[in-house]
Amino acid sequence: MIKVIIAGFKGKMGSTAMQMVQEDADLILSALVDPFATEKEIDGVPVFTAKEDMVGFEADVWVDFTTPKFAYENTRFALENGWAPVVGTTGFTPEEIDELVALSAQKKLGGLIAPNFAIGAILLMEFAAKAAKYFPNLEIIELHHDKKKDAPSGTAIKTAELISKVRASQIQGAADEEELIAGARGAEFDGFRIHSVRLPGLVAHQEVIFGAQGEGVTIRHDSYDRVSFMSGVNLGIKEVVKREQLVYGLEHLL
Ligand code: NAP
């Protein structure tokens, strides 16, 4: 039985993860964390408002669906307290990820930072990286609900990083291109562009559009419901307890 803490359990992702853990006979929901919670416990599970009160708490895994502002600090705290982190919160810098990987290795604890837990999104990233070898001209368009705090999405950044590893670096677009309204061409990453769309009604979606002489390829993934992330979170929880180092990306555990 794996004892799980959920940070951000009142949020959209955290509450879905809480239900998933409660429904899995191999997992025990051990504690819930949210700075604004008013409950002292829910269904017999203790609720903490300050993570500092949890030092010494008995658990195996810290699931984090909080906000980009707290994710690094929370993940560090989990590792320091012996809980393997499974983090869906986005917004980490590459330096922060490197530091957390090093800390996990020092503590001999597994862990996962996954910008996207949907299997379809992992496939999209893989297919996009494959296509970029042959189609080096591309643009990424990510589309999310209008409450999302960070832009571009963690998935778009991870996709861009994977593409950059295989794509011959080049600046796209006309050399004398001019933006008549600032930001019109989106964010620049290694010479290609990333666009962020925020609209009510959306969950999490991404397209990678490739263009070449006389042809185009579009790869798209849609998460219509947050349930799409839960098999990945479940797999993450069950895998990190067997490992001794944190990984960045669910694909490393598949
Ligand atoms: P959300 O609904 O705003 O949930 C975040 C929750 O965390 C809120 O209830 C928030 O409380 C709480 N919170 C804030 N600071 C906290 C802290 N220090 N400790 C504990 N809880 C804290 O957002 P969401 O849609 O669930 O998304 C959460 C994160 O997951 C975002 O970074 C999002 O990009 C990411 N995400 C990842 C995936 C993936 O597959 N990896 C998929 C979807 C979303 P207040 O509202 O009271 O501040």
Side-chain angles (χ1 to χ4, degrees):
M1 298 283 259
I2 303 171
K3 295 186 194 126
V4 181
I5 301 167
I6 299 185
F9 76 98
K10 286 186 168 271
K12 294 181 280 295
M13 286 296 289
S15 55
T16 314
M18 180 177 162
Q19 194 182 340
M20 178 274 290
V21 170
Q22 283 174 317
E23 286 170 1
D24 187 328
D26 296 328
L27 306 179
I28 301 174
L29 186 62
S30 290
L32 298 162
V33 194
D34 188 296
F36 304 100
T38 48
E39 307 89 333
K40 291 276 171 276
E41 58 164 61
I42 295 175
D43 300 338
V45 179
V47 175
F48 292 86
T49 48
K51 65 179 186 313
E52 291 69 26
D53 296 341
M54 299 187 72
V55 173
F57 191 83
E58 239 297 279
D60 303 302
V61 174
W62 169 282
V63 172
D64 199 291
F65 283 108
T66 60
T67 62
K69 202 171 147 197
F70 295 103
Y72 169 73
E73 210 182 283
N74 282 358
T75 309
R76 234 195 131 78
F77 182 77
L79 288 167
E80 275 160 1
N81 283 279
W83 313 312
V86 172
V87 183
T89 317
T90 45
F92 287 88
T93 64
E95 295 74 29
E96 286 174 341
I97 292 172
D98 288 348
E99 271 178 44
L100 292 166
V101 169
L103 179 62
S104 72
Q106 189 194 323
K107 299 273 178 194
K108 290 201 179 327
L109 274 176
L112 168 65
I113 295 176
N116 204 310
F117 280 107
I119 305 296
I122 308 300
L123 291 176
L124 172 141
M125 289 189 249
E126 239 182 83
F127 297 160
K130 198 164 188 184
K133 260 192 236 171
Y134 308 101
F135 291 86
N137 285 280
L138 64 112
E139 307 234 347
I140 299 176
I141 304 179
E142 57 94 341
L143 310 91
H144 280 82
H145 59 89
D146 60 346
K147 302 285 181 293
K148 184 165 177 60
K149 294 194 168 79
D150 50 327
S153 69
T155 306
I157 295 173
K158 174 98 196 197
T159 309
E161 288 168 353
L162 291 173
I163 286 173
S164 280
K165 280 192 193 153
V166 294
R167 169 182 170 271
S169 198
Q170 67 172 80
I171 308 285
Q172 289 178 201
D176 56 353
E177 178 178 270
E178 195 186 334
E179 278 187 332
L180 301 182
I181 299 177
R185 290 287 292 117
E188 196 259 318
F189 188 104
D190 198 19
F192 61 88
R193 302 285 170 163
I194 306 177
H195 310 268
S196 297
V197 177
R198 298 289 175 264
L199 285 173
L202 295 174
V203 177
H205 317 259
Q206 182 169 291
E207 273 182 24
V208 186
I209 306 176
F210 298 89
Q213 292 305 317
E215 63 177 324
V217 179
T218 300
I219 305 173
R220 181 175 170 115
H221 173 257
D222 296 277
S223 276
Y224 300 114
D225 191 299
R226 288 176 178 83
V227 163
S228 64
F229 303 116
M230 289 307 132
S231 54
V233 179
N234 187 284
L235 179 122
I237 293 172
K238 290 176 181 168
E239 282 298 317
V240 292
V241 292
K242 300 181 200 158
R243 300 182 183 235
E244 298 197 334
Q245 187 165 310
L246 183 146
V247 293
Y248 168 50
L250 183 66
E251 65 278 14
H252 299 294
L253 300 185
L254 292 175

